[in-house]
Amino acid sequence: MTVHERTMTVPERVVIIGASVAGVRVAQELRQAGYPGAIALVGEERHTPYDKPPLSKEMLAAGSDGAPVPLLPPDQLDALDLDLRLGVRASGLDPARRVVTTTDGQEISYDALVVATGSIPRALPGSDALAGVVTIRTVEDAHELRREFAPGRRLVVVGGGFVGAEVAAAAIGHGMEVTVVEAASEPMALALGEDVGAAIRRLHEAHGVHVLTGARVDRLEGGDRVDASDRVDASDRFDASARVDAVVLADGTRLECDAVVIGIGARPATDWLAGSGLPIVDTPGSDGVACDIALRVNGFPGIYAAGDIARWPHPLYAEPIRIEHWTNTGDHARAIAADVTGSRTHGVTVP
């Protein structure tokens, strides 16, 4: 790429909504590019920014203390000189006023805004009404699932993608009975091809995981009403009235279980942008916030999108793409920092 022809001065204040990988990487790249202004990093979780991949790996592993893995050491986080606002959830955006509103009534003004709120795991119908059903997005999710892990307990993992594969491996390490239900012909076949998918399936099976391919879930079933004596742990989630006790497949197969993990993909976390006017794409197979090649939100100068939430035109693809991958956030962060500071951008990377 060439140096971007700037039509705006360097903003005095950048606000980043989302304090996970994408948000932190944008802050890092801005400082590395020499940005001297104020940076506010706003995140709905109360935890110091932590790495997401370990939620379904290291944090669940046998022998782990279950602690989150920090994205940066404390001294490096301090060196970024951030206005770090944790436990603050964005609820709306007014681009005309250049203000983000929050659920606790704050108004956060910006000169440049980076939307980095990531994605939300997809659930199965009725799953919210049953205890023992977990999706993985936060530290609390990982802790909830870890409380379900015990030798001899039966876990059904719906979805054989990266999250499902990692959770299955961790659960086997705890001595659980694990069944993976995958709709495709092989686990990860869409991303990696059937040959690699078949190798992954054989590896699972060699470690004792039962893998069902070409299988679709019809429904989840719950057993008796939950009370305190049924809880795996005192902090178990109990707005639900019953615990899951089976996964029923479309062919009628009933898989009895003690817990279920749902790993069937995610959708961009754009709900809070409703009414903002930002170009949110929401069609089958195509979603996210529409951006240009520099991750500027189309039609909204001074607003950028980064990470899982961004849909942008990659030069190597015929249609705009959205990628849910850790390394993708780094590419986005560099592009945004270059545009904000007017510095030279990096070359195009292959996803």
Side-chain angles (χ1 to χ4, degrees):
M1 294 184 188
T2 61
V3 176
H4 171 58
E5 295 293 333
R6 299 196 57 78
T7 58
M8 56 179 283
T9 58
V10 175
E12 294 183 6
R13 174 180 168 84
V14 176
V15 172
I16 304 168
I17 305 298
S20 190
V21 180
V24 172
R25 294 294 178 244
V26 170
Q28 285 183 289
E29 292 293 340
L30 282 169
R31 293 306 189 206
Q32 289 178 16
Y35 177 70
I39 303 175
L41 183 63
V42 181
E44 67 176 326
E45 295 187 62
R46 297 186 181 278
H47 306 282
T48 301
Y50 60 87
D51 206 4
K52 291 289 187 176
L55 292 177
S56 53
K57 292 187 278 193
E58 289 96 322
M59 286 184 63
L60 298 180
S64 167
D65 62 4
V69 177
L71 265 176
L72 296 174
D75 59 332
Q76 292 185 23
L77 187 61
D78 291 342
L80 295 177
D81 189 24
L82 303 176
D83 174 9
L84 185 58
R85 305 190 188 190
L86 301 177
V88 177
R89 183 176 182 179
S91 58
L93 168 64
D94 185 341
R97 295 174 56 218
R98 290 182 174 258
V99 165
V100 173
T101 56
T102 68
T103 53
D104 61 0
Q106 295 184 52
E107 287 194 343
I108 304 173
S109 60
Y110 63 85
D111 298 308
L113 175 70
V114 180
V115 178
T117 43
S119 55
I120 300 171
R122 297 186 185 278
L124 290 172
S127 59
D128 288 344
L130 295 171
V133 181
V134 184
T135 57
I136 303 292
R137 181 174 182 255
T138 68
V139 166
E140 285 73 24
D141 294 334
H143 287 169
E144 181 179 353
L145 178 57
R146 190 178 174 86
R147 291 193 294 269
E148 300 285 352
F149 282 8
R153 299 191 86 227
R154 301 160 300 177
L155 177 70
V156 174
V157 179
V158 181
F162 287 103
V163 169
E166 291 159 4
V167 168
I172 283 291
H174 285 263
M176 298 183 74
E177 298 178 13
V178 182
T179 299
V180 173
V181 177
E182 170 56 49
S185 57
E186 296 288 357
M188 302 193 210
L190 182 62
L192 303 177
E194 291 200 0
D195 290 344
V196 175
I200 291 169
R201 172 180 51 76
R202 290 193 295 269
L203 183 61
H204 274 310
E205 291 171 340
H207 285 83
V209 178
H210 184 38
V211 182
L212 300 177
T213 58
R216 295 186 178 275
V217 173
D218 179 69
R219 66 187 183 276
L220 305 181
E221 291 184 346
D224 295 336
R225 186 176 181 82
V226 171
D227 58 36
S229 64
D230 295 319
R231 301 187 183 192
V232 173
D233 185 271
S235 57
D236 205 354
R237 173 175 60 87
F238 273 95
D239 51 346
S241 61
R243 278 195 67 86
V244 67
D245 64 9
V247 175
V248 180
L249 305 184
D251 65 2
T253 300
R254 190 173 189 273
L255 305 173
E256 295 187 353
C257 61
D258 300 296
V260 173
V261 173
I262 301 173
I264 55 173
R267 63 177 181 85
T270 56
D271 294 353
W272 71 280
L273 294 170
S276 67
L278 265 60
I280 299 172
V281 183
D282 188 17
T283 57
S286 179
D287 51 15
V289 178
C291 306
D292 66 13
I293 197 168
L295 283 306
R296 295 170 292 209
V297 175
N298 293 340
F300 289 82
I303 301 181
Y304 302 81
D308 292 1
I309 204 168
R311 176 167 291 277
W312 86 109
H314 193 289
L316 300 180
Y317 294 82
E319 299 293 334
I321 59 175
R322 186 178 72 83
I323 300 176
E324 298 171 8
H325 198 280
W326 196 91
T327 58
N328 181 61
T329 65
D331 296 338
H332 286 186
R334 286 186 288 274
I336 291 170
D339 197 73
V340 168
T341 61
S343 57
R344 182 178 295 276
T345 60
H346 293 240
V348 174
T349 60
V350 177

